[in-house]
Amino acid sequence: MAEETIFSKIIRKEIPADVVYQDDLVTAFRDINPRAPSHILIIPNKLIPTTNDVEVEDELIMGRLFTAAKKIAIEEGIAEEGYRLIVNCNPHGGQEVYHIHMHLVGGRPLGPMLLS
């Protein structure tokens, strides 16, 4: 079983976060170190450590990450001009918290790369 992360505590509202969206499958909150005017993390409520750990039964959850991203981008006013969705996997991919999460970033021109 995967170890609990700080994101698990955010989902359960045990630690504060600026939550912008939550339903039965995913939670989204503002990144504490934003790289763009809008920088929101969208996470599954189920602890899935990395993209390598996604199973067939997780397809609904993974799809919800994208539909939540669309809804949040519209609410943030960045859908029309565009935004970027980023998922990092393991150390070489830049993953720091081992609870799969999607970065939604936008609100300015992002150029060829944003997060390194």
Side-chain angles (χ1 to χ4, degrees), residues 15-16 22 24 26 29 31 40-41 49 53 55 60 64 66 87 93 116:
I15 59 173
Q22 188 169 39
D24 59 325
V26 304
F29 53 93
D31 193 294
I40 295 164
L41 301 180
D53 300 299
E55 300 293 341
L60 181 61
R64 184 68 56 86
F66 284 90
V87 177
S116 58

Side-chain angles (χ1 to χ4, degrees), residues 51-102:
T51 56
N52 293 336
D53 300 299
V54 174
E55 300 293 341
V56 171
E57 61 265 19
D58 300 322
E59 289 179 358
L60 181 61
I61 294 169
M62 300 310 292
R64 184 68 56 86
L65 293 177
F66 284 90
T67 56
K70 173 187 170 184
K71 177 179 175 39
I72 295 163
I74 291 168
E75 291 172 358
E76 289 284 302
I78 61 173
E80 186 72 25
E81 293 294 323
Y83 53 95
R84 185 170 291 155
L85 300 173
I86 303 165
V87 177
N88 300 319
C89 182
N90 284 327
H92 284 194
Q95 187 174 5
E96 295 176 1
V97 177
Y98 285 82
H99 187 141
I100 195 170
H101 53 286
M102 176 184 288

Side-chain angles (χ1 to χ4, degrees), residues 22-37:
Q22 188 169 39
D23 64 22
D24 59 325
L25 297 178
V26 304
T27 298
F29 53 93
R30 295 191 188 282
D31 193 294
I32 59 171
N33 295 307
R35 302 283 183 101

